[in-house]
Amino acid sequence: LKKLPVGFLARIFKDYLKNKTSNSHPNGSLEEWLINKYGPTLYNLFFKTYSSKLWGVSPDGMASDWAVERIPPLRPTSVLLGLFGKKGSFRHYAAHYLYPKEGIGQIFQEMARHIKSYGGDIWLNSTVEKIYLDGNQVKAVETRKDKKREILELDWLLATIPLPSLVNLLHPPLAPDLRELARRLRYRSLRFLNLLIDAQGISDNTWIYVPDKDFIIGRIQEPKNRSPYNAPPGFTSLILEIPCSVGDHTWQADAQ
């Protein structure tokens, strides 16, 4: 608040008062929801450009259903209480969380340990070529590693790949109309650029959001703030989160 211009703060407060006295409660687009909750000043400053960058779709073309869970409403009293170190009613979807000491990779190492302890096998660098169906039940998968192919029979399958890719792997193929519906499904991806910094630390923030449309970065994080083991002694790092879609220019760009 100390760093924002007085005129800008006045516009935010004016928007807030106007929304408090308004009887409209739009539940249509994300744009309507955000303007209703935050006002046009904050919407145009942050939410419009950031949401468009993150999702690849303008907020006026997105539904607002998920916003209730992910975006807390603006409550000036909670903000003011926070300035004095007191807890208000401000709600955030991830106010507290646990983080692995040695980074997120530790989660998957522990999963691998459990799988192996129960006699399971883990195949790395393998590609699923086909998923065989018997009626509505998955019966086997065909995998390829290097030039070797193998068909594995199974009782059940847990797939985490994008739905359009999953549908294309099913054999026998689904009906053409279902394949077309799957092809039209859209989803977003992220690329992460990790920069090693010759410094003890850069910021105390968990995340720094970058709404400016001139930058492809959506968010910056400093992993060392979560665990000191996430960077070598005397160094820190910054992870630049870059939203994109599979196959687009950003997805195919090299690190330079």
Side-chain angles (χ1 to χ4, degrees):
L1 288 177
K2 291 179 181 178
K3 295 180 180 180
L4 291 175
V6 175
F8 181 76
L9 289 173
R11 291 200 303 273
I12 294 176
F13 189 64
K14 179 181 177 182
D15 290 345
Y16 176 75
L17 292 178
K18 182 178 179 181
N19 288 346
K20 290 292 287 185
T21 57
S22 173
N23 293 321
S24 64
H25 296 282
N27 55 4
S29 71
L30 178 62
E31 179 179 76
E32 292 174 312
W33 190 93
L34 288 168
I35 292 177
N36 179 256
K37 297 297 182 183
Y38 282 88
T41 303
L42 282 176
Y43 172 75
N44 289 312
L45 173 74
F46 175 79
F47 289 106
K48 182 177 182 179
T49 52
Y50 179 77
S51 298
S52 299
K53 184 190 300 187
L54 178 63
W55 298 109
V57 178
S58 175
D60 62 4
M62 297 177 62
S64 63
D65 305 51
W66 59 274
V68 177
E69 295 297 326
R70 298 281 294 184
I71 306 175
L74 178 63
R75 294 190 177 95
T77 52
S78 297
V79 175
L80 292 173
L81 287 172
L83 289 174
F84 297 99
K86 299 181 185 244
K87 290 184 179 180
S89 57
F90 184 81
R91 177 186 60 81
H92 193 277
Y93 72 91
H96 302 282
Y97 56 88
L98 299 176
Y99 192 82
K101 174 182 175 181
E102 298 177 0
I104 193 171
Q106 189 175 356
I107 295 176
F108 306 105
Q109 292 169 358
E110 188 67 11
M111 290 172 61
R113 187 183 69 80
H114 276 279
I115 291 171
K116 290 178 179 178
S117 70
Y118 284 97
D121 294 324
I122 299 175
W123 291 16
L124 302 178
N125 302 313
S126 300
T127 302
V128 176
E129 297 286 309
K130 288 183 180 180
I131 299 174
Y132 292 96
L133 300 175
D134 183 5
N136 292 326
Q137 186 173 355
V138 176
K139 286 297 185 181
V141 294
E142 181 178 333
T143 65
R144 175 175 56 83
K145 183 174 183 179
D146 299 326
K147 295 183 180 181
K148 182 181 178 182
R149 294 175 181 266
E150 186 167 348
I151 295 179
L152 302 173
E153 295 184 355
L154 47 82
D155 296 316
W156 53 271
L157 174 69
L158 175 64
T160 61
I161 60 178
L163 283 174
S165 302
L166 177 65
V167 168
N168 289 332
L169 293 173
L170 298 178
H171 186 79
L174 297 183
D177 57 337
L178 294 178
R179 295 202 305 272
E180 174 60 19
L181 286 174
R183 187 190 66 79
R184 289 163 54 189
L185 285 175
R186 300 176 62 189
Y187 61 93
R188 290 289 273 174
S189 299
L190 276 175
R191 291 194 68 181
F192 297 93
L193 181 61
N194 191 25
L195 305 177
L196 185 63
I197 309 294
D198 188 3
Q200 289 288 345
I202 300 296
S203 168
D204 293 330
N205 292 295
T206 304
W207 286 290
I208 299 173
Y209 290 81
V210 185
D212 196 314
K213 62 182 179 181
D214 293 330
F215 296 93
I216 63 173
I217 302 164
R219 196 165 64 173
I220 303 171
Q221 57 173 295
E222 189 170 354
K224 192 175 180 180
N225 288 343
R226 294 181 173 84
S227 171
Y229 297 92
N230 278 344
F235 291 85
T236 189
S237 66
L238 294 179
I239 291 182
L240 311 183
E241 301 181 10
I242 306 172
C244 59
S245 295
V246 173
D248 69 9
H249 174 74
T250 303
W251 177 265
Q252 298 183 42
D254 60 38
Q256 302 302 320

